[in-house]
mmCIF file of all heavy atoms in Angstrom:
data_model
loop_
_atom_site.group_PDB
_atom_site.id
_atom_site.type_symbol
_atom_site.label_atom_id
_atom_site.label_comp_id
_atom_site.label_asym_id
_atom_site.label_seq_id
_atom_site.Cartn_x
_atom_site.Cartn_y
_atom_site.Cartn_z
ATOM 1 N N SER A 20 3.236 10.258 12.984
ATOM 2 C CA SER A 20 3.168 11.710 13.205
ATOM 3 C C SER A 20 2.956 12.132 14.650
ATOM 4 O O SER A 20 2.993 13.310 14.956
ATOM 5 C CB SER A 20 2.048 12.311 12.342
ATOM 6 O OG SER A 20 0.782 11.799 12.730
ATOM 7 N N SER A 21 2.748 11.157 15.546
ATOM 8 C CA SER A 21 2.501 11.536 16.938
ATOM 9 C C SER A 21 3.793 11.939 17.652
ATOM 10 O O SER A 21 4.797 11.229 17.574
ATOM 11 C CB SER A 21 1.873 10.369 17.705
ATOM 12 O OG SER A 21 1.788 10.701 19.082
ATOM 13 N N PRO A 22 3.754 13.051 18.415
ATOM 14 C CA PRO A 22 4.926 13.439 19.201
ATOM 15 C C PRO A 22 4.944 12.757 20.572
ATOM 16 O O PRO A 22 5.883 12.954 21.345
ATOM 17 C CB PRO A 22 4.712 14.951 19.372
ATOM 18 C CG PRO A 22 3.219 15.114 19.396
ATOM 19 C CD PRO A 22 2.654 14.027 18.511
ATOM 20 N N ARG A 23 3.917 11.952 20.866
ATOM 21 C CA ARG A 23 3.759 11.430 22.223
ATOM 22 C C ARG A 23 4.529 10.128 22.416
ATOM 23 O O ARG A 23 4.400 9.199 21.618
ATOM 24 C CB ARG A 23 2.278 11.207 22.518
ATOM 25 C CG ARG A 23 1.479 12.483 22.480
ATOM 26 C CD ARG A 23 0.024 12.325 22.924
ATOM 27 N NE ARG A 23 -0.562 11.025 22.752
ATOM 28 C CZ ARG A 23 -0.907 10.213 23.759
ATOM 29 N NH1 ARG A 23 -0.708 10.588 25.021
ATOM 30 N NH2 ARG A 23 -1.473 9.051 23.510
ATOM 31 N N ALA A 24 5.290 10.080 23.518
ATOM 32 C CA ALA A 24 6.021 8.848 23.849
ATOM 33 C C ALA A 24 5.042 7.691 24.043
ATOM 34 O O ALA A 24 5.367 6.541 23.752
ATOM 35 C CB ALA A 24 6.871 9.059 25.092
ATOM 36 N N GLU A 25 3.856 8.020 24.550
ATOM 37 C CA GLU A 25 2.844 6.987 24.803
ATOM 38 C C GLU A 25 1.844 6.878 23.648
ATOM 39 O O GLU A 25 0.697 6.467 23.851
ATOM 40 C CB GLU A 25 2.074 7.319 26.095
ATOM 41 C CG GLU A 25 2.935 7.401 27.346
ATOM 42 C CD GLU A 25 3.471 6.031 27.760
ATOM 43 O OE1 GLU A 25 2.684 5.086 27.789
ATOM 44 O OE2 GLU A 25 4.682 5.931 28.028
ATOM 45 N N SER A 26 2.277 7.268 22.473
ATOM 46 C CA SER A 26 1.372 7.252 21.317
ATOM 47 C C SER A 26 0.687 5.902 21.151
ATOM 48 O O SER A 26 1.314 4.851 21.284
ATOM 49 C CB SER A 26 2.154 7.570 20.047
ATOM 50 O OG SER A 26 1.354 7.296 18.907
ATOM 51 N N LEU A 27 -0.589 5.957 20.804
ATOM 52 C CA LEU A 27 -1.323 4.723 20.545
ATOM 53 C C LEU A 27 -1.448 4.449 19.051
ATOM 54 O O LEU A 27 -1.699 3.319 18.644
ATOM 55 C CB LEU A 27 -2.707 4.805 21.211
ATOM 56 C CG LEU A 27 -2.585 4.830 22.739
ATOM 57 C CD1 LEU A 27 -3.865 5.298 23.397
ATOM 58 C CD2 LEU A 27 -2.176 3.465 23.262
ATOM 59 N N SER A 28 -1.281 5.466 18.232
ATOM 60 C CA SER A 28 -1.341 5.238 16.777
ATOM 61 C C SER A 28 -0.002 4.702 16.249
ATOM 62 O O SER A 28 0.023 3.831 15.379
ATOM 63 C CB SER A 28 -1.717 6.522 16.034
ATOM 64 O OG SER A 28 -0.739 7.534 16.192
ATOM 65 N N THR A 29 1.107 5.225 16.796
ATOM 66 C CA THR A 29 2.430 4.855 16.247
ATOM 67 C C THR A 29 2.723 3.357 16.319
ATOM 68 O O THR A 29 3.066 2.751 15.284
ATOM 69 C CB THR A 29 3.548 5.662 16.946
ATOM 70 O OG1 THR A 29 3.294 7.049 16.759
ATOM 71 C CG2 THR A 29 4.920 5.309 16.396
ATOM 72 N N PRO A 30 2.596 2.707 17.507
ATOM 73 C CA PRO A 30 2.992 1.291 17.541
ATOM 74 C C PRO A 30 2.151 0.406 16.642
ATOM 75 O O PRO A 30 2.657 -0.584 16.095
ATOM 76 C CB PRO A 30 2.823 0.900 19.022
ATOM 77 C CG PRO A 30 2.076 2.003 19.668
ATOM 78 C CD PRO A 30 2.219 3.224 18.827
ATOM 79 N N ILE A 31 0.906 0.782 16.453
ATOM 80 C CA ILE A 31 0.042 -0.046 15.590
ATOM 81 C C ILE A 31 0.483 0.087 14.130
ATOM 82 O O ILE A 31 0.562 -0.892 13.390
ATOM 83 C CB ILE A 31 -1.445 0.320 15.814
ATOM 84 C CG1 ILE A 31 -1.842 -0.193 17.201
ATOM 85 C CG2 ILE A 31 -2.351 -0.268 14.735
ATOM 86 C CD1 ILE A 31 -3.171 0.221 17.709
ATOM 87 N N VAL A 33 3.537 0.933 13.127
ATOM 88 C CA VAL A 33 4.859 0.296 13.012
ATOM 89 C C VAL A 33 4.678 -1.218 12.879
ATOM 90 O O VAL A 33 5.304 -1.869 12.027
ATOM 91 C CB VAL A 33 5.749 0.649 14.231
ATOM 92 C CG1 VAL A 33 7.017 -0.186 14.256
ATOM 93 C CG2 VAL A 33 6.088 2.142 14.224
ATOM 94 N N ARG A 50 10.921 4.684 6.654
ATOM 95 C CA ARG A 50 10.216 5.296 7.782
ATOM 96 C C ARG A 50 10.467 6.796 7.852
ATOM 97 O O ARG A 50 11.614 7.255 7.782
ATOM 98 C CB ARG A 50 10.683 4.640 9.085
ATOM 99 C CG ARG A 50 10.257 5.367 10.369
ATOM 100 C CD ARG A 50 9.127 4.682 11.066
ATOM 101 N NE ARG A 50 8.561 5.457 12.172
ATOM 102 C CZ ARG A 50 8.634 5.125 13.443
ATOM 103 N NH1 ARG A 50 9.298 4.048 13.801
ATOM 104 N NH2 ARG A 50 8.032 5.855 14.374
ATOM 105 N N ASP A 52 9.558 9.513 10.675
ATOM 106 C CA ASP A 52 8.948 9.905 11.948
ATOM 107 C C ASP A 52 8.794 11.419 11.884
ATOM 108 O O ASP A 52 9.736 12.175 12.127
ATOM 109 C CB ASP A 52 9.839 9.474 13.110
ATOM 110 C CG ASP A 52 9.209 9.776 14.469
ATOM 111 O OD1 ASP A 52 8.369 10.703 14.539
ATOM 112 O OD2 ASP A 52 9.555 9.103 15.454
ATOM 113 N N ALA A 54 7.233 13.501 13.638
ATOM 114 C CA ALA A 54 7.273 14.265 14.896
ATOM 115 C C ALA A 54 8.707 14.407 15.389
ATOM 116 O O ALA A 54 9.135 15.494 15.787
ATOM 117 C CB ALA A 54 6.405 13.588 15.949
ATOM 118 N N ALA A 55 9.460 13.305 15.341
ATOM 119 C CA ALA A 55 10.853 13.359 15.817
ATOM 120 C C ALA A 55 11.733 14.163 14.865
ATOM 121 O O ALA A 55 12.683 14.821 15.285
ATOM 122 C CB ALA A 55 11.402 11.939 15.970
ATOM 123 N N TYR A 112 -2.448 15.360 12.983
ATOM 124 C CA TYR A 112 -1.312 16.078 13.574
ATOM 125 C C TYR A 112 -0.727 17.016 12.513
ATOM 126 O O TYR A 112 -0.633 16.668 11.322
ATOM 127 C CB TYR A 112 -0.221 15.095 14.021
ATOM 128 C CG TYR A 112 -0.386 14.564 15.430
ATOM 129 C CD1 TYR A 112 -0.614 13.210 15.664
ATOM 130 C CD2 TYR A 112 -0.284 15.414 16.531
ATOM 131 C CE1 TYR A 112 -0.749 12.709 16.964
ATOM 132 C CE2 TYR A 112 -0.412 14.925 17.829
ATOM 133 C CZ TYR A 112 -0.647 13.582 18.033
ATOM 134 O OH TYR A 112 -0.779 13.109 19.325
#
Side-chain angles (χ1 to χ4, degrees):
S20 63
S21 173
R23 297 187 334 112
E25 300 291 313
S26 168
L27 293 164
S28 64
T29 302
I31 289 171
V33 170
R50 168 104 189 247
D52 184 335
Y112 272 116

